[in-house]
Amino acid sequence: AQTVTQSQPEMSVQEAETVTLSCTYDTSENNYYLFWYKQPPSRQMILVIRQEAYKQQNATENRFSVNFQKAAKSFSLKISDSQLGDTAMYFCAFMKLQTGANNLFFGTGTRLTVIP
Amino acid sequence: ETGVTQTPRHLVMGMTNKKSLKCEQHLGHNAMYWYKQSAKKPLELMFVYNFKEQTENNSVPSRFSPECPNSSHLFLHLHTLQPEDSALYLCASSRDSGTTGNTIYFGEGSWLTVV
């Protein structure tokens, strides 16, 4: 079974600073996908960034980037130049490479607060 | 603006009531999902539909009954629920759950409170 662990229940960062959210996962699969989703107070789960495990290059999306360490099964999210709108719950998620249902396995989330 | 819309956003129901949650996606996707989000627990997949056919039921109690009349609409029919069923129910969609690695897009959720 796949498990996703986010060891930081809450974090805060000063506006314009950089913050890194941690995520580790456990799997016996070799090919899979990893995601970071953001859930603001509106409760909608919004995709932040996605990484294919077969790609060595870390994914980046504007101010968001990941540090993917496959051997260590680590997938951290770095937010640069933090903005007030980044305040939200952040969920790390794992998806197996398989046919049929695309099931996302989620961590318990990290609540990020950006302080003005 | 979300491509996946859910109604109602909030629902309070008694344990003997029958109600339904509705989800509609405007993204041209073929796969739709129901997830349950409870406090302090990871999101749990409940059901998956691919091209209107149910492809996964994650051991969900029969008091939850999904319906997918077409690829754009998904319902969750609720009856004789328990207080522990109170949670945020998230609908989602993706291009095709039979093709691996498709990004899943979520709606804003329906808050359900069972009294």
Side-chain angles (χ1 to χ4, degrees):
Chain A
Q2 279 64 231
T3 57
V4 179
T5 302
Q6 294 179 249
S7 58
Q8 306 152 314
E10 294 189 18
M11 292 192 72
S12 61
V13 62
Q14 209 69 35
E15 192 176 6
E17 296 295 309
T18 296
V19 65
T20 298
L21 309 184
S22 301
C23 173
T24 59
Y25 56 94
D26 185 24
T27 183
S28 58
E29 305 289 326
N30 188 47
N31 291 316
Y32 47 86
Y33 296 82
L34 295 162
F35 302 82
W36 278 98
Y37 279 88
K38 165 186 175 181
Q39 189 178 40
S42 68
R43 306 306 290 190
Q44 185 188 4
M45 201 73 74
I46 302 166
L47 176 70
V48 175
I49 199 164
R50 154 192 171 125
Q51 174 83 39
E52 290 83 357
Y54 62 85
K55 289 186 178 178
Q56 292 186 332
Q57 187 172 9
N58 288 324
T60 62
E61 195 70 45
N62 300 316
R63 297 182 296 107
F64 299 89
S65 61
V66 299
N67 184 4
F68 173 49
Q69 301 290 326
K70 190 173 184 180
K73 296 180 182 176
S74 170
F75 183 61
S76 61
L77 175 69
K78 185 171 85 171
I79 306 174
S80 304
D81 185 25
S82 297
Q83 300 176 0
L84 296 179
D86 295 334
T87 293
M89 282 289 289
Y90 286 81
F91 293 93
C92 179
F94 171 99
M95 180 188 288
K96 276 198 309 186
L97 195 76
Q98 64 178 30
T99 56
N102 282 163
N103 191 8
L104 278 171
F105 296 90
F106 284 87
T108 50
T110 296
R111 183 177 302 280
L112 176 68
T113 302
V114 179
I115 302 166
Chain B
E1 186 73 28
T2 173
V4 182
T5 56
Q6 292 185 237
T7 55
R9 294 294 311 280
H10 299 270
L11 177 63
V12 179
M13 60 185 289
M15 288 189 283
T16 58
N17 290 160
K18 289 184 180 181
K19 297 284 185 184
S20 296
L21 305 180
K22 178 184 175 182
C23 177
E24 182 175 0
Q25 59 93 3
H26 312 276
L27 300 169
H29 291 163
N30 296 309
M32 296 190 77
Y33 310 75
W34 280 116
Y35 280 83
K36 176 182 179 182
Q37 186 176 22
S38 305
K40 310 286 188 189
K41 292 174 66 176
L43 274 79
E44 302 170 67
L45 178 69
M46 299 175 72
F47 301 103
V48 181
Y49 278 81
N50 197 26
F51 291 96
K52 301 188 298 179
E53 298 298 319
Q54 186 179 124
T55 59
E56 183 148 343
N57 177 337
N58 196 23
S59 302
V60 180
S62 60
R63 57 186 185 269
F64 294 91
S65 174
E67 179 191 0
C68 188
N70 55 61
S71 293
S72 299
H73 294 86
L74 183 65
F75 296 89
L76 188 62
H77 303 300
L78 316 167
H79 62 99
T80 59
L81 294 191
Q82 304 298 311
E84 59 265 29
D85 296 323
S86 298
L88 180 70
Y89 289 84
L90 288 161
C91 176
S93 70
S94 69
R95 273 209 320 261
D96 177 355
S97 77
T99 305
T100 61
N102 286 316
T103 297
I104 296 177
Y105 295 88
F106 288 83
E108 292 179 297
S110 293
W111 276 108
L112 173 66
T113 303
V114 182
V115 298

